[in-house]
Amino acid sequence: MRPKLTLKQIARELDVSISTVSKALRDSAEISEDTKQKVKAFAKLYNYKPNNIALSLKNRKTKTIGLIVPEIVHHFFTTVIRGIEEYANEKGYHVMVCLSNNSFDKEVINMEMLANGSIDGFILSISKETMLKEDYHHINEVINQGMPVVMFDRVVDQIKCDKVVIDDVEGATKAVQHLLDTGCKKVGLITTPDYINVGKLRTQGYTEALNKNRMPIHEKYILKIEDDSNSEELIKEFVKTEDFDGIFAVNEEYAVQAISALRKTEKEIPEDVSVIGFTDGVISKNFIPKLTTVNQPGTEMGRQAAKLIIDKLEKPETEEEEQYQTIEIKTNLVKRESTR
Amino acid sequence: MRPKLTLKQIARELDVSISTVSKALRDSAEISEDTKQKVKAFAKLYNYKPNNIALSLKNRKTKTIGLIVPEIVHHFFTTVIRGIEEYANEKGYHVMVCLSNNSFDKEVINMEMLANGSIDGFILSISKETMLKEDYHHINEVINQGMPVVMFDRVVDQIKCDKVVIDDVEGATKAVQHLLDTGCKKVGLITTPDYINVGKLRTQGYTEALNKNRMPIHEKYILKIEDDSNSEELIKEFVKTEDFDGIFAVNEEYAVQAISALRKTEKEIPEDVSVIGFTDGVISKNFIPKLTTVNQPGTEMGRQAAKLIIDKLEKPETEEEEQYQTIEIKTNLVKRESTR
DNA sequence: TTGTAAGCGTTATCAG
DNA sequence: CTGATAACGCTTACAA
């Protein structure tokens, strides 16, 4: 076991000063070829690598991005993380991942822990609880300290920062339009409560599509699920109440549960009822029938979020025009076997 | 925008020395109550938080763990990450996540990037390519530098370090035994090549179960899939070759693809063929029929891995008995609808 | 061409 | 009780 080599040790071994070593390694013109060769050879031989922490302290930048996600055991977030990690790595950045577990308190604690110099900027998708409370002081505080923040997927207007979202409304509209185009007359919606903004937007897309086609909108065609743990029963009840020939669900799980419930009422998919989900994850691809879905390009979203942050971090400080942008990632409909 | 407060600034404001401020904040007995009150009040008012990077440099420890996983868009790894993050956070540690994307080179680069002082220890599951190459120099190098390493799931004997694995052999045996107990006479296995050690171990479990029950083992009952991208066709062919009444698959995807293929040959699940998968993920839970599986307690695995690392990091250096342990996490069979 | 010294933000030691 | 100083590992004016 040999501990890490430092400039000081090299200097001592080679009987030169620390700064000479430093300069030699950085190929400074100040240093003679001879010395450079000697130092470089030694450094290479003993595999010298500058200490990141020392560099961070000196440069006042850590080259790491803090990422806070509500939940990691979730296909969509996972693809976003991959995108972020991928882009960040290409640019020489690390990613520190924290999970809020959809808890407001954990989100606050995580942000405080990271904001103390550990990272240069945040990428985050806020927790359910935070959206409910509408308390964003922790995020605004960080922004006020001058730390760049990028929000993705679950964003809120009350926070001024760069954002990356998908076109939830449009995606939902496309889905419902497809159902109508293929002959559905009575389309049900399975969604989340409105405080989850993506649920709200997708609901809006559903409504818009129906409006555009001059179809009536009934409250009873819409199921809003508060608590995922009893979604199965709720959905089972819901599909019995009306004679739907189309269902649009705002996530994979609801879509699959709807199919399962419909099957129990002797309906065939897609012959009797067409079903479309949102998020093109492993379930959609592996289910029988394979699900028609609106895909969410999570990896692309992650890459864009990482790009926004890193661009801001590397832009010379002088440009003080605080212009925030919101990037909208396009979804598209993946037609498979659960629709006609 | 107000940048972060430092000790120096507090000292200047309050007209005392930096060290007085430092001591006051840490409640040192050396400082008068008066001064302490004054300093603390000021610090609180302006929300002073010590700079992590400076602390890291001083203490020569970062309180962060480096995590390298082959793939993040994968339910099992995701649960492990959750476990690691959870435990690490409880202990005041951060987690830096890197993806190797199953590439040897990326694994090496990531390790080098992190080993330069950014982290105190590694948790890792090695990439496919690394297992194929059997080149572990990068990992051994880090270990030789005195940095603790914990491997999980995909582990190899050639590396001396703490490990966390699941009882793959036993889990597989239990699965196959269940098939036999419920009347299966001809059990097929869908697995990975032997260089993926978990695949190998599960294959071994299959073999052991058959042996114990004095059933013959035929090569043709076993399908080893090299390349996941054409697994569907291979499985389709495979289930046609023999008249299986039971299938054991080493992951969810293969299990589901087997069911799909069997259905096309007019077989009913589980009436004609029972199917068991490995890894109890979202697919198993949502499929119709719901899959009987061997569950892998990923979160528990992650917690144990994090515990191993942190225990080692916080143990006083003196104890130089290099004893490595391997923790085996127990799986259990989740019986659902795809078996009789 | 090389070396000295200051500084990044902390803490610890020691002197006043 | 308070403060100067050194140190963690590195970079960079500035001096020699």
Side-chain angles (χ1 to χ4, degrees), chain A residues 70-193:
Chain A
E71 176 57 89
I72 196 174
V73 184
H74 190 306
H75 182 263
F76 169 67
F77 282 122
T78 256
T79 57
V80 177
I81 296 177
R82 185 218 265 153
I84 292 173
E85 212 274 342
E86 212 175 82
Y87 188 89
N89 247 254
E90 287 167 15
K91 298 291 180 184
Y93 280 74
H94 295 301
V95 179
M96 212 114 128
V97 178
C98 289
L99 313 181
S100 66
N101 278 323
N102 274 313
S103 139
F104 174 78
D105 291 340
K106 242 207 121 190
E107 190 174 290
V108 173
I109 292 173
N110 277 328
M111 291 203 66
E112 284 177 354
M113 282 185 74
L114 291 185
N116 298 303
S118 302
I119 60 159
D120 297 339
F122 276 108
I123 297 181
L124 67 95
S125 186
I126 62 184
S127 75
K128 268 189 207 175
E129 226 189 5
T130 307
M131 301 199 100
L132 248 177
K133 285 183 104 125
E134 301 191 38
D135 180 348
Y136 311 119
H137 77 274
H138 52 303
I139 303 173
N140 284 319
E141 211 152 87
V142 160
I143 293 175
N144 286 336
Q145 276 172 35
M147 182 166 285
V149 170
V150 173
M151 299 183 72
F152 72 93
D153 194 54
R154 297 192 190 161
V155 306
V156 293
D157 290 338
Q158 294 96 315
I159 302 177
K160 298 285 167 241
C161 66
D162 290 325
K163 289 161 194 168
V164 185
V165 296
I166 63 164
D167 59 340
D168 287 287
V169 179
E170 201 182 318
T173 306
K174 273 190 273 189
V176 175
Q177 189 63 52
H178 181 64
L179 290 173
L180 300 175
D181 288 349
T182 54
C184 296
K185 301 288 179 219
K186 196 186 249 190
V187 177
L189 169 68
I190 305 178
T191 184
T192 65

Side-chain angles (χ1 to χ4, degrees), chain A residues 17 19-20 23 30 32 35 58 60:
Chain A
S17 77
S19 63
T20 302
K23 286 172 191 160
E30 290 181 10
S32 71
T35 317
K58 179 113 252 278
R60 254 93 80 61

